[in-house]
Amino acid sequence: MDSFIFLAFLTGAVRAASCPGYRASNIVKTTGVLAADLTLSGNACNVYGQDIIDLRLLVEYQTNTRLHVKIYDAALDVYQVQEHIIPRPASQNVSESDAALQFSFEEEPFSFIVSRSDTREVVFNTTGQELIFESQYLHVQTALPSNPNLYGLGEHSDPFRLPTERYRRTLWNAESPFIPRNSNLYGSHPVYLEHRGSSGSHGVFLLNSNGMDINIYKEAEGQQYLKYETVGGVLDFYFLAGPSPLEVSKQYAEVIGLPAMMPYWTFGFHQCKYGYWDVNMAAEVVANYSAAEIPLETLWGDIDYMNLRQDFTTDPERFPLHKMRELVQTLHQRSQQYIMMVDPGIHRAQNYSTFLNGEESEVFLKSDDGSNYLGGQWAGEVVWPDWLAPNTQKWWRNEFATFFDPDRGIDVDGVWNDMNEASNFCPNVTCNTTQFDDPSVFPIAPTTPPRNNTGRPIPGFPADFQPENGSDNKLGRRQSTNGMMKGLRDRDLFNPQFTINNHRGAMSDGTIYTNISNADGTVQYDTHNLYGVTMVMASRQAMLARRPQARPFVLTRSTFAGAGTHAAHWFGDNNSTWADYRVSIAQLLGFSSIHQMPMAGSDVCGFNGVADEKMCSRWAMLGAFMPFYRNHAVIDAPFQEFYVWPNVTRAAQKAIAARYRLLDYIYTAMYRASTTGSPIVNPLFFIYPSDQNTFGIDTQFFYGDALLVSPVVEDYSQSVSFYLPDDVFYDFWTLEQIQGTGANRTLDNVDWNDIPVYIRGSTILPLRIESANTTKILRQNDFNIIVAPGKDGKAAGSLYLDDGESLEVENSYSDIRFSWDSKTFTASGNFGFATSLIVKTVTILGEGGPITQQGPWSLSGQFEFTLS
Ligand SMILES: *[C@@H]1O[C@H](CO)[C@@H](O)[C@H](O)[C@H]1NC(C)=O
Ligand SMILES: *[C@@H]1O[C@H](CO)[C@@H](O)[C@H](O)[C@H]1NC(C)=O
Ligand SMILES: *[C@@H]1O[C@H](CO)[C@@H](O)[C@H](O)[C@H]1NC(C)=O
Ligand SMILES: *[C@@H]1O[C@H](CO)[C@@H](O)[C@H](O)[C@H]1NC(C)=O
Ligand SMILES: *[C@@H]1O[C@H](CO)[C@@H](O)[C@H](O)[C@H]1NC(C)=O
Ligand SMILES: *[C@@H]1O[C@H](CO)[C@@H](O)[C@H](O)[C@H]1NC(C)=O
Ligand SMILES: *[C@@H]1O[C@H](CO)[C@@H](O)[C@H](O)[C@H]1NC(C)=O
Ligand SMILES: *[C@@H]1O[C@H](CO)[C@@H](O)[C@H](O)[C@H]1NC(C)=O
Ligand SMILES: *[C@@H]1O[C@H](CO)[C@@H](O)[C@H](O)[C@H]1NC(C)=O
Ligand SMILES: *[C@@H]1O[C@H](CO)[C@@H](O)[C@H](O)[C@H]1NC(C)=O
Ligand SMILES: *[C@@H]1O[C@H](CO)[C@@H](O)[C@H](O)[C@H]1NC(C)=O
């Protein structure tokens, strides 16, 4: 933080210090519930707006481990996140004496403390700084122990364990090329986990979608604080008791929802590039992957396929519809998949049916004079779907049904929503949107002619697979309804006095202007951070309408708390640099273990800039141990498909073979995530919560809960020093036993197609006997079970099996529990999935090397054996 910003920060603090705070009265307690009035206890200080005089406090002991503390305006005018976007968890009204967390408060000036019932440890403490609740500014802070271990607070490219001095997290979804450090990026998740080692972990979720700064800082005397400053909304806190980090994660999922179960095939390897010029080039990529013997599961279509960059159209010259249908048909015949991009900006063109249909259904955001609110996106001058308007879902569903029609359109397997922060090419309010339709100012159509592939057959594709010859913006808003939690009137929705530290500039810069209202009477000022998640909710429903039986796959760039229940996420437009290779691990840890978005990963080999062979070799291997595994690059980046370089080819072949053999292990972890909230990817401290050495580690991680991945992280290095907890491990590649000592281990000469991966003792892993070139073929392969005994000689694990794609599997699934007690191996549990697959071998690891027991054992019922 530079000194200028820090000065501004102190000025705000000084102004806030003179506020009167609130007085609690009319305190009513019933079982599990405490309610009170909070009244401003002095003259309004109006730091950044009007103080709200009458508030209410509601405290609910919702479950034994969850405390809900809500402070809101008595008139219910202030905006609250719509229930259909984030359904609120029900309260079980447990009695205080049964609750792990206790709420206590001071009446005047009002402040509160949340503490643990058993140890009295204080987890949240607002004493000492008056609560400020204004029309456009909320301020509340908690004292923390010194050097706290804090994780979460939305998408960023900073260390996983957050800095604790002069550190600011801004939550305001923004287009963020090159994922700048210390900045707000694409996703807002106002939740953190604080880990205090042996005294436990807890979580704090503030259900508030308004723009905010969260400051983590230390006073001169050394006292540590975390301070929230928002530009609106209410203080709606959920405190999660843990006490283990894993339990915090699960308790957060109880609040915002369990992540969506993903189709089996989505764990395959994906390839995309902005800049596949025509359908032939795209087909060639598929053929080249096959020729290089690198399994490709899914081809992606970026905006290149569109006619004039318009959603739901294809470029008639480069991507003619019948060729696209052939492409998808061929992919499907080869048991591969196809995914396409759909952006929110809808071209305002009178000959464009998607726009005209939307006009007729009144689905677009409006300026206050009732005209369409305009902006700029890839197609040119665009209008914006209002995801809160009554007809938007129907319109969106119809556009999907038509364009993605299996019989006449493009039968996609998944959909990709980009630009949904929303990203507006208008930098600020002085924007002339007409310019985006002026090709001399904003050339949107590709300038290079389609490639001439005549005479060059594409292996695996039909022989004739060849290309064809080939207003002023009104500011303001509609009147919103007063009351009903839709937002206070008479606010400056454009230039709030309190400015958050948005790296794009003012709140409206580069996005939909914040004073635009939604059809339900709310305003973008309050709902901006929900634009992306409401879009993917609509896309998910539209995909379900096409294929009602199939689990939808939607990838989103913009997220908010709870987005994992609808979609997967990638970390946006990173750089092809070693720094962003490293940071992808910290980002994955945040999304998987804190934000409940387990299906996540970075653009492998980086999006912007030039990837080189060594870096891409390392990244191809690292990405194979992340749930979402996709190589993607920008239009002006050189090709970086894995087959481009010999060493990357070898690295990818090896990594994908391992990933595919492990696919059911990670699919089982996905199933657990979607049913219990346990993360797919675990930070080391989730597994070793009392080992302090693990708290800051963000260049290693557990893939599932059994595989410790410790990639080489330094630029162009072949050495790595990584932490190995005091436990038994086994090298995944050689199966050799390795004793961890709670110290670092150094490996030199790590080849360009190698990545250190260790199996943690006390786990059991199901592996497919061999890999395959697609996940469909992989699913026909039998299993080898690896038993990795722990210090006590015992181990446990599980295998979940279903058809890999049904939305509702009913009873057709198996959830098989494996255990090893140092002599006997047992497989028991539920065997509802009809299968002829078998366990061919069970390999028991140990000090003296692996022992392999030959099967076969059927996977349709229990079995056990004892080693003599
Ligand atoms: C908890 O109390 C609220 C009212 O305070 C009530 O609406 C709700 O039904 C109660 N829930 C249970 C599970 O008893
Ligand atoms: C709460 O925080 C205040 C201000 O830092 C501190 O003086 C007080 O001792 C804390 N209370 C408890 C119970 O920790
Ligand atoms: C990413 O690349 C851009 C353009 O080369 C550069 O300006 C930026 O500093 C890089 N960002 C990081 C975090 O390396
Ligand atoms: C596919 O491979 C061929 C032969 O090596 C090469 O000429 C072509 O450029 C490749 N195409 C793509 C899109 O990578
Ligand atoms: C996978 O391998 C099979 C047989 O080895 C082959 O028929 C099929 O075309 C391959 N599929 C892909 C996508 O490479
Ligand atoms: C729509 O009109 C524009 C401008 O006249 C033209 O460039 C474009 O090709 C037309 N699109 C279609 C689908 O006819
Ligand atoms: C708006 O953006 C343009 C282009 O970046 C810039 O030249 C202009 O100074 C900006 N105006 C304001 C008011 O920020
Ligand atoms: C807006 O852009 C259009 C297209 O480039 C141009 O013709 C027009 O003069 C511009 N208007 C203003 C006020 O600059
Ligand atoms: C494409 O290339 C072939 C062979 O080089 C040539 O005969 C043909 O005229 C070209 N077609 C076009 C449309 O450029
Ligand atoms: C490719 O890998 C080999 C074997 O590890 C190594 O000797 C060579 O330097 C690598 N080439 C590049 C360009 O990284
Ligand atoms: C020990 O390993 C961690 C990675 O987990 C690394 O950050 C640290 O630099 C290593 N320490 C030394 C002394 O190499």
Side-chain angles (χ1 to χ4, degrees):
M1 186 186 312
D2 61 42
S3 54
F4 170 75
I5 292 171
F6 195 64
L7 200 65
F9 174 96
L10 287 176
T11 314
V14 169
R15 289 167 70 180
S18 58
C19 288
Y22 287 81
R23 173 171 47 84
S25 61
N26 296 330
I27 298 152
V28 179
K29 284 176 92 164
T30 54
T31 307
V33 182
L34 182 154
D37 293 336
L38 298 178
T39 316
L40 195 69
S41 67
N43 292 332
C45 59
N46 299 341
V47 196
Y48 297 110
Q50 302 289 313
D51 285 10
I52 295 177
I53 291 162
D54 293 310
L55 304 179
R56 279 204 214 296
L57 166 71
L58 173 68
V59 178
E60 294 175 310
Y61 290 84
Q62 292 199 329
T63 70
N64 291 340
T65 53
R66 182 172 77 234
L67 178 74
H68 180 214
V69 176
K70 184 169 172 182
I71 298 168
Y72 56 101
D73 60 313
L76 291 175
D77 287 334
V78 173
Y79 172 73
Q80 297 190 27
V81 174
Q82 292 90 328
E83 286 267 353
H84 81 275
I85 303 176
I86 304 218
R88 307 301 196 272
S91 177
Q92 292 166 14
N93 308 336
V94 301
S95 84
E96 276 177 60
S97 55
D98 293 335
L101 295 176
Q102 296 295 319
F103 176 87
S104 59
F105 66 105
E106 287 295 326
E107 289 184 17
E108 186 169 11
F110 171 77
S111 66
F112 69 92
I113 286 179
V114 176
S115 54
R116 290 194 183 276
S117 308
D118 51 0
T119 60
R120 304 274 153 223
E121 176 156 13
V122 173
V123 303
F124 203 86
N125 170 10
T126 74
T127 314
Q129 170 65 61
E130 278 26 296
L131 169 69
I132 304 175
F133 199 122
E134 299 185 340
S135 50
Q136 300 197 256
Y137 182 64
L138 303 183
H139 175 136
V140 65
Q141 72 177 31
T142 177
L144 293 174
S146 57
N147 302 318
N149 300 298
L150 299 165
Y151 311 85
L153 295 179
E155 188 159 19
H156 60 77
S157 53
D158 304 330
F160 175 51
R161 181 172 62 178
L162 299 170
T164 56
E165 288 183 48
R166 295 183 169 208
Y167 181 66
R168 172 156 24 204
R169 289 282 315 116
T170 297
L171 298 189
W172 188 251
N173 295 350
E175 160 98 65
S176 302
F178 314 115
I179 59 167
R181 306 299 186 254
N182 280 301
S183 300
N184 51 311
L185 302 178
Y186 311 97
S188 295
H189 299 257
V191 58
Y192 69 83
L193 180 152
E194 187 192 343
H195 183 56
R196 296 191 186 165
S198 45
S199 36
S201 272
H202 61 269
V204 179
F205 173 46
L206 174 60
L207 204 183
N208 179 307
S209 63
N210 282 86
M212 69 178 82
D213 281 350
I214 299 165
N215 297 282
I216 306 172
Y217 68 102
K218 206 185 250 185
E219 279 186 342
E221 313 84 74
Q223 177 61 52
Q224 184 82 53
Y225 292 98
L226 182 146
K227 171 168 76 168
Y228 297 91
E229 292 178 287
T230 84
V231 299
V234 300
L235 294 172
D236 194 1
F237 282 108
Y238 291 84
F239 296 96
L240 312 167
S244 72
L246 174 61
E247 283 161 322
V248 173
S249 204
K250 291 177 167 182
Q251 289 154 7
Y252 179 54
E254 288 171 9
V255 180
I256 49 103
L258 291 161
M261 182 65 188
M262 293 288 155
Y264 189 91
W265 62 266
T266 61
F267 290 92
F269 164 66
H270 305 262
Q271 177 66 51
C272 185
K273 190 179 194 292
Y274 174 23
Y276 289 149
W277 280 113
D278 58 27
V279 63
N280 273 65
M281 187 188 273
E284 231 177 68
V285 170
V286 176
N288 287 3
Y289 265 106
S290 286
E293 297 184 0
I294 303 170
L296 172 68
E297 182 75 12
T298 311
L299 176 71
W300 290 58
D302 205 314
I303 56 173
D304 308 285
Y305 77 79
M306 299 175 185
N307 183 31
L308 304 171
R309 303 288 186 252
Q310 293 173 155
D311 281 344
F312 309 115
T313 69
T314 55
D315 182 317
E317 249 182 57
R318 295 174 175 75
F319 294 87
L321 183 60
H322 72 280
K323 284 289 170 199
M324 288 295 278
R325 285 181 50 74
E326 245 173 67
L327 172 76
V328 175
Q329 206 171 41
T330 309
L331 288 170
H332 288 170
Q333 276 161 6
R334 299 161 50 108
S335 51
Q336 292 170 309
Q337 329 285 335
Y338 190 60
I339 292 179
M340 292 167 100
M341 178 179 275
V342 177
D343 286 332
I346 301 297
H347 194 205
R348 192 181 74 135
Q350 295 308 327
N351 58 358
Y352 174 40
S353 66
T354 298
F355 168 71
L356 297 174
N357 295 340
E359 274 282 85
E360 200 180 325
S361 302
E362 299 184 30
V363 303
F364 301 123
L365 289 172
K366 300 280 188 290
S367 297
D368 61 350
D369 65 355
S371 66
N372 285 322
Y373 165 70
L374 305 174
Q377 227 176 50
W378 293 114
E381 187 183 54
V382 298
V383 294
W384 309 93
D386 177 351
W387 305 109
L388 303 173
N391 300 329
T392 310
Q393 179 67 65
K394 189 172 175 215
W395 162 73
W396 199 240
R397 192 174 65 223
N398 287 340
E399 295 301 318
F400 271 55
T402 309
F403 186 63
F404 297 133
D405 183 328
D407 300 323
R408 283 176 303 276
I410 303 175
D411 191 15
V412 284
D413 302 289
V415 73
W416 174 20
N417 291 156
D418 194 13
M419 307 292 285
N420 54 350
E421 292 72 30
S423 173
N424 184 354
F425 291 158
C426 285
N428 55 41
V429 290
T430 59
C431 182
N432 170 4
T433 58
T434 323
Q435 68 178 318
F436 297 119
D437 278 345
D438 179 350
S440 68
V441 182
F442 188 74
I444 47 152
T447 46
T448 338
R451 294 172 6 137
N452 179 356
N453 290 67
T454 307
R456 185 132 66 105
I458 299 173
F461 284 77
D464 65 344
F465 202 86
Q466 288 164 15
E468 307 299 282
N469 289 334
S471 106
D472 292 336
N473 263 300
K474 313 282 188 308
L475 301 182
R477 61 172 174 138
R478 287 177 284 180
Q479 280 305 308
S480 72
T481 339
N482 214 13
M484 307 307 291
M485 303 173 290
K486 289 187 172 175
L488 277 176
R489 284 185 191 227
D490 303 326
R491 290 178 291 167
D492 184 338
L493 297 173
F494 218 78
N495 292 305
Q497 290 179 49
F498 177 72
T499 48
I500 55 171
N501 195 37
N502 176 17
H503 77 89
R504 299 298 303 267
M507 291 206 310
S508 289
D509 288 0
T511 191
I512 296 167
Y513 299 165
T514 47
N515 61 349
I516 295 297
S517 61
N518 306 311
D520 71 351
T522 58
V523 286
Q524 286 288 316
Y525 179 92
D526 296 314
T527 64
H528 166 89
N529 280 338
L530 303 170
Y531 194 81
V533 74
T534 50
M535 177 179 190
V536 298
M537 285 166 75
S539 294
R540 184 178 171 85
Q541 289 310 314
M543 290 298 277
L544 267 175
R546 290 174 66 235
R547 292 183 183 176
Q549 279 12 291
R551 278 171 226 161
F553 178 77
V554 180
L555 183 75
T556 182
R557 193 169 74 183
S558 179
T559 63
F560 185 73
T565 62
H566 315 289
H569 174 62
W570 93 106
F571 308 136
D573 297 346
N574 60 356
N575 279 4
S576 294
T577 57
W578 290 96
D580 281 6
Y581 156 81
R582 285 186 286 272
V583 100
S584 70
I585 303 174
Q587 295 191 297
L588 178 64
L589 289 171
F591 272 90
S592 179
S593 67
I594 316 291
H595 299 150
Q596 283 294 347
M597 294 205 70
M599 193 60 171
S602 65
D603 276 352
V604 168
C605 300
F607 180 73
N608 289 298
V610 182
D612 74 36
E613 184 166 7
K614 289 191 161 66
M615 190 199 69
C616 199
S617 298
R618 292 274 183 246
W619 212 330
M621 302 216 70
L622 174 62
F625 292 91
M626 295 191 169
F628 181 60
Y629 182 34
R630 186 184 69 162
N631 179 335
H632 179 39
V634 72
I635 190 164
D636 52 8
F639 287 109
Q640 62 182 41
E641 290 69 20
F642 290 157
Y643 55 73
V644 167
W645 303 276
N647 281 6
V648 182
T649 301
R650 278 193 291 276
Q653 283 168 335
K654 178 173 168 183
I656 295 173
R659 175 184 178 86
Y660 282 22
R661 290 192 62 212
L662 286 163
L663 206 140
D664 297 82
Y665 158 74
I666 220 65
Y667 187 66
T668 301
M670 174 78 248
Y671 173 69
R672 298 272 174 257
S674 73
T675 49
T676 72
S678 62
I680 296 186
V681 166
N682 289 279
L684 273 67
F685 79 88
F686 269 51
I687 313 272
Y688 299 98
S690 40
D691 180 351
Q692 295 201 17
N693 295 323
T694 62
F695 301 171
I697 293 178
D698 63 5
T699 52
Q700 296 175 253
F701 59 97
F702 277 94
Y703 184 57
D705 61 3
L707 288 177
L708 176 62
V709 182
S710 312
V712 176
V713 286
E714 297 303 324
D715 303 16
Y716 301 106
S717 173
Q718 287 195 260
S719 300
V720 56
S721 170
F722 59 89
Y723 185 69
L724 208 52
D726 178 9
D727 206 343
V728 185
F729 291 89
Y730 304 85
D731 186 307
F732 172 74
W733 306 105
T734 65
L735 303 183
E736 175 201 355
Q737 193 185 78
I738 293 153
Q739 182 61 51
T741 58
N744 272 25
R745 182 178 169 88
T746 301
L747 295 181
D748 297 314
N749 305 316
V750 183
D751 209 339
W752 297 102
N753 63 359
D754 203 3
I755 181 169
V757 178
Y758 291 171
I759 307 170
R760 179 171 64 92
S762 80
T763 64
I764 298 180
L765 301 175
L767 272 77
R768 296 278 177 173
I769 287 281
E770 57 185 0
S771 180
N773 58 8
T774 62
T775 62
K776 185 170 179 191
I777 297 172
L778 180 69
R779 290 175 60 81
Q780 297 161 10
N781 296 345
D782 293 324
F783 286 91
N784 165 230
I785 309 289
I786 293 193
V787 177
K791 283 181 192 165
D792 60 0
K794 296 178 182 167
S798 65
L799 170 62
Y800 171 80
L801 296 169
D802 66 11
D803 69 6
E805 57 194 27
S806 293
L807 188 65
E808 301 294 345
V809 297
E810 317 256 307
N811 292 323
S812 301
Y813 71 93
S814 295
D815 189 354
I816 307 167
R817 304 281 169 162
F818 301 122
S819 70
W820 171 253
D821 69 0
S822 81
K823 284 197 208 59
T824 302
F825 178 92
T826 310
S828 60
N830 177 341
F831 294 85
F833 180 62
T835 179
S836 56
L837 293 174
I838 56 164
V839 172
K840 267 196 167 159
T841 50
V842 174
T843 303
I844 296 139
L845 308 183
E847 210 177 341
I851 300 169
T852 294
Q853 189 78 3
Q854 296 294 330
W857 298 276
S858 159
L859 274 172
S860 41
Q862 304 200 1
F863 63 90
E864 65 171 52
F865 67 83
T866 302
L867 270 198
S868 46

